[in-house]
Amino acid sequence: KMVKVCSPGTSANLGPGYDVFGLALYEPYDTITVMKTDDSNDNDNKITITMEGEKCEEIPTDVDKNTAGVVAKKMMEDFDISDNIHIHIEKGIKPGSGLGSSSASCAGIAVAMNELFDLKLSKLELTQYASLGEAVAAGAPHADNVAPAIFGGFTMVVGYEPLEILHTPVEFEVLVALPNIQIPTKEARELVPKNIPIKDMVNNVGKACGMVYALHTNNIELFGKYMMHDAVVEPCRAPLIEGYSEVKEKVKDLVYGITISGSGPAIISLPKKEHILEVKKIFKETWNCPIYYTKVGPGAYVL
Ligand code: HSE
């Protein structure tokens, strides 16, 4: 038996919601296939992994180092699964892009294992498993990419210990640019200040609350406006993305909002329909890079 799962890219933080907010996209996505294999040649290595896609040669296929491998292994231990499995990952999301590439694989494998072995886990439990893989990739089990990859729509990680996720299905379009710059999440996390002035905390809590209010009143303009006012994380990371400050200035009247996606270098914007071509042109001229015009999606699903 084999199960195939489509697991989407996600955009974390959305400005003031560092490690809290996340959005599932339709594109790009990874496809994860898991199958039971019979080659029980009595070694401990019950899980084999192969990968294909852009830059996937940079990702280890060793079970304990591969984010999906770690998730699958833990699920097999917890549920006493003694089958041998093979995982094949088609990476449609470029690793280190800021679009939750590792999270998509972690979420996809959790959903696939749940289906293959009929584990009947809740979305919260699947998110918990998936975030174990994220710890391997980012050095911290932040769940703001795996949560939307599993729940779809817009998610809020309202607590980490224990993990608590709130979820709102939303519908809007996004324009994402993927500059060809490498920013390892681990390094980008080291740039985040350990202590912040209370006024910055007040700003970010205020803006984040405003964004949630905006979603619930269907006000994309307000959502985008507050998304641009992160006083804590984006100012530290923006210098890593050459051209970003200039782009932000150039497009400010053409989009509802724009910010760094996750730890970057991807940039997520909420375009005004009538200006999409102009914004695309500015992205292209600055970065000459892939651009995704996509919308909020449903999260990982079995194909
Ligand atoms: N919240 C995480 C960070 C997302 O900004 O480091 C990583 O993609």
Side-chain angles (χ1 to χ4, degrees):
K1 200 182 156 191
M2 100 177 190
V3 171
K4 203 170 191 171
V5 168
C6 172
S7 193
T10 49
S11 185
N13 300 343
L14 300 168
Y18 179 69
D19 278 2
V20 176
F21 289 167
L23 203 60
L25 307 177
Y26 258 98
E27 275 181 315
Y29 54 82
D30 286 356
T31 311
I32 291 99
T33 310
V34 187
M35 62 197 97
K36 294 183 189 174
T37 52
D38 316 313
D39 46 278
S40 40
N41 41 8
D42 266 343
N43 57 26
D44 287 339
N45 198 2
K46 294 200 170 72
I47 304 172
T48 51
I49 303 171
T50 50
M51 311 200 46
E52 65 180 286
E54 198 187 348
K55 296 236 170 194
C56 73
E57 63 285 346
E58 290 175 12
I59 303 169
T61 51
D62 183 89
V63 177
D64 296 310
K65 294 195 185 122
N66 182 284
T67 56
V70 169
V71 175
K73 188 174 169 184
K74 179 76 170 118
M75 291 176 91
M76 289 174 83
E77 281 166 10
D78 287 359
F79 294 94
D80 283 330
I81 297 168
S82 54
D83 297 85
N84 292 328
I85 61 163
H86 178 71
I87 304 170
H88 182 68
I89 304 172
E90 289 164 61
K91 287 237 60 92
I93 312 166
K94 192 174 158 197
S97 60
L99 290 176
S101 177
S102 57
S103 312
S105 297
C106 297
I109 189 69
V111 170
M113 295 291 284
N114 189 47
E115 176 78 11
L116 185 64
F117 295 104
D118 197 23
L119 305 178
K120 300 191 168 56
L121 293 172
S122 68
K123 288 192 169 174
L124 182 64
E125 288 167 313
L126 292 175
T127 306
Q128 193 105 50
Y129 275 111
S131 69
L132 296 174
E134 195 67 310
V136 175
H142 67 90
D144 52 339
N145 286 110
V146 282
I150 292 204
F151 284 81
F154 174 79
T155 52
M156 293 153 271
V157 184
V158 293
Y160 273 89
E161 284 173 14
L163 188 65
E164 267 184 75
I165 312 283
L166 294 178
H167 160 246
T168 312
V170 292
E171 251 179 67
F172 54 84
E173 295 179 334
V174 298
L175 191 64
V176 177
L178 196 45
N180 192 16
I181 302 167
Q182 286 278 16
I183 304 180
T185 300
K186 255 186 202 159
E187 284 169 32
R189 291 182 78 79
E190 279 159 18
L191 294 176
V192 177
K194 301 275 174 291
N195 299 293
I196 61 165
I198 202 81
K199 75 171 189 352
D200 290 346
M201 188 209 76
V202 172
N203 170 79
N204 275 31
V205 172
K207 298 297 186 296
C209 290
M211 287 170 73
V212 177
Y213 171 85
L215 281 186
H216 283 274
T217 50
N218 238 325
N219 189 338
I220 194 71
E221 197 174 334
L222 203 59
F223 185 83
K225 176 180 148 191
Y226 295 147
M227 185 174 97
M228 299 220 272
H229 287 93
D230 167 20
V232 178
V233 180
E234 182 168 304
C236 306
R237 289 174 168 177
L240 298 179
I241 306 164
E242 215 192 314
Y244 173 57
S245 310
E246 292 80 359
V247 165
K248 200 170 171 181
E249 184 55 32
K250 278 188 197 158
V251 303
K252 70 176 190 306
D253 297 324
L254 310 176
V255 299
Y256 297 118
I258 182 166
T259 190
I260 299 173
S261 176
S263 56
I267 301 297
I268 182 167
S269 69
L270 310 180
K272 295 180 182 168
K273 258 208 155 64
E274 63 276 25
H275 296 305
I276 281 177
L277 290 178
E278 270 170 279
V279 178
K280 268 190 174 170
K281 193 164 164 250
I282 292 168
F283 285 171
K284 268 264 177 270
E285 280 169 1
T286 311
W287 295 301
N288 187 25
C289 68
I291 294 171
Y292 297 97
Y293 178 35
T294 182
K295 54 185 181 176
V296 182
Y301 56 90
V302 177
L303 289 166

